[in-house]
Amino acid sequence: MSVELAEVISRAELVVTCGPGGVGKTTTAAALGIAAALSGRRVVVMTVDPARRLADALGLDIQAHANDPHQVEGVGADGGSLWALMLDAEATFDRLITERAGDPDKADKILTNRVYRSIAGSLAGAQDYMAIERLHQLNAAGQFDLIIIDTPPSRDAIDLLVAPDRLVRFLGHPIYRALTMPQRSFARVANAGTTAFLWIVRRLAGPRLVEETIEFFKSLSGMEEGLRRRAAEVAVLLRAKSTSFLIVSSPRAEAVAESTHLASAVVDGGFRLDGVVINLVHPLPRALDALDDLDGLEPGPLADQVAYHRELSQLARSERDEMEGLIRLASGVAVAELPLLEIDVHDVASLTKLAALLTGG
Ligand SMILES: Nc1ncnc2c1ncn2[C@@H]1O[C@H](COP(=O)(O)OP(=O)(O)OP(=O)(O)O)[C@@H](O)[C@H]1O
Ligand SMILES: [Mg+2]
């Protein structure tokens, strides 16, 4: 059943894992990275905000390794290697400004700007947009055979995919336009709404902040074209034949419902859905036919055990019913099932175990 995922990671150049919250997207991305490295590929797993213990497992230190690929020691075979990269939106934004600003003075002016500092960390979608920028850089550098991107939880749309559009829309906003045009033409074309907006900002924040805002937007304006171009290139890359989307889900009803939405969003967006991973599956306990004869048990440890066994069987069975829906949905793509392990998955050994289950290795 899971052999097909092995094929996906041996063929794809870019794999995107997406799915509802807490189902194991990051874990799956890391496990697939290990599987690919063991099959001889140079692979980088790019992750946003990994759980602390998983970051430790991959030897990632937030301070030291933000935004730069860092090799995970001791993983790989036949020339393959595993690299991990943790995304820090603010740092990537800074790097982008430094690279594109043209001269250091200009870069410095932007980087120390108060308005920039607040926008860099909080602009809606900045994180996702920066993931796109980083992906563009990694892809262009051609240092890796395979890039695996782990996305933050998503419900019915993948923020990562709409981030470029959102940023471009932001840059096309009338207020942005008005602020970045020369003062005199601004006075001529500014409509009542924009003027009122500026008046309110001036009153609330003081004239100095308004000047800073205008300064910031002016300095960004030279970079707009590059931002647009790279966003468009990534949009093409995400739809390339060599790019595979994988949905990770758990067998719980809510997760299955969200994953179903997500699958349509992926397909409708023109992306290639190549697999579904169902994680955290309770193993079906061995059938105890004799259980029915145990109905009249005296209260006590044995009765508790029997009740527990019944509950577990019921849970495992209802999970299987939920999974049916997902498996039907995923007809024609790879489907892999991962058991809920007794141990917390936070080291290379347990990730390697999941890797083997994912790829039938
Ligand atoms: N098959 C498994 N067996 C046992 N524990 C697991 C399994 N898969 C994942 N976990 C654990 O579940 C937790 C959540 O996993 P993970 O961080 O990969 O989920 P996520 O989908 O990336 O979460 P988020 O939506 O917050 O990004 C982690 O503690 C991880 O170790
Ligand atoms: Mg995660």
Side-chain angles (χ1 to χ4, degrees), residues 22-38:
V23 295
K25 296 176 293 298
T26 307
T27 305
T28 302
L32 287 174
I34 291 181
L38 289 175

Side-chain angles (χ1 to χ4, degrees), residues 25-26 48-50 150-153:
K25 296 176 293 298
T26 307
V48 182
D49 196 19
D150 161 44
T151 65

Side-chain angles (χ1 to χ4, degrees), residues 23-239:
V23 295
K25 296 176 293 298
T26 307
T27 305
T28 302
L32 287 174
I34 291 181
L38 289 175
S39 75
R41 302 192 84 192
R42 284 175 65 85
V43 48
V44 61
V45 177
M46 182 165 129
T47 154
V48 182
D49 196 19
R52 184 71 253 160
R53 301 174 85 182
L54 185 64
D56 290 344
L58 298 175
L60 284 172
D61 172 342
I62 279 249
Q63 299 300 320
H65 302 119
N67 298 317
D68 282 316
H70 157 85
Q71 184 166 5
V72 183
E73 294 300 332
V75 179
D78 299 332
S81 56
L82 176 67
W83 300 67
L85 182 158
M86 207 171 357
L87 199 69
D88 173 346
E90 208 168 323
T92 315
F93 221 155
D94 286 1
R95 178 196 301 222
L96 177 76
I97 302 279
T98 310
E99 278 176 10
R100 318 279 170 184
D103 69 278
D105 275 356
K106 191 175 174 193
D108 207 47
K109 224 167 153 184
I110 303 178
L111 292 177
T112 52
N113 182 305
R114 263 197 302 164
V115 179
Y116 166 74
R117 288 260 60 98
S118 65
I119 287 183
S122 64
L123 177 68
Q127 182 97 342
D128 299 306
Y129 186 74
M130 290 309 122
I132 301 268
E133 281 286 338
R134 201 69 189 95
L135 170 60
H136 189 274
Q137 289 165 345
L138 282 176
N139 183 59
Q143 187 192 347
F144 297 102
D145 305 322
L146 170 64
I147 303 172
I148 301 180
I149 304 186
D150 161 44
T151 65
S154 43
R155 227 187 136 82
D156 37 33
I158 302 165
D159 288 343
L160 189 75
L161 308 180
V162 295
D165 292 340
R166 216 189 289 141
L167 191 82
V168 165
R169 228 181 301 131
F170 170 73
L171 294 173
H173 193 283
I175 288 175
Y176 170 78
R177 291 250 167 255
L179 286 172
T180 51
M181 67 176 53
Q183 288 283 299
R184 244 173 299 139
S185 20
F186 171 64
R188 232 177 330 133
V189 304
N191 61 29
T194 314
T195 318
F197 168 79
L198 280 183
W199 185 79
I200 292 170
V201 172
R202 239 180 254 275
R203 256 199 56 185
L204 290 178
R208 184 144 165 262
L209 187 69
V210 176
E211 296 321 310
E212 282 187 7
T213 309
I214 292 176
E215 190 60 34
F216 166 64
F217 282 124
K218 273 190 179 152
S219 49
L220 259 193
S221 63
M223 307 195 305
E224 185 181 340
E225 198 195 311
L227 292 176
R228 277 180 200 275
R229 199 192 57 243
R230 291 189 300 281
E233 283 169 10
V234 168
V236 170
L237 172 66
L238 287 170
R239 290 177 176 85

Side-chain angles (χ1 to χ4, degrees), residues 1-6 8 246 273-277 330-336:
M1 155 207 272
S2 48
V3 181
E4 306 141 294
L5 265 189
V8 172
L246 301 181
L273 178 62
D274 268 340
V276 172
V277 174
S331 75
V333 308
V335 179

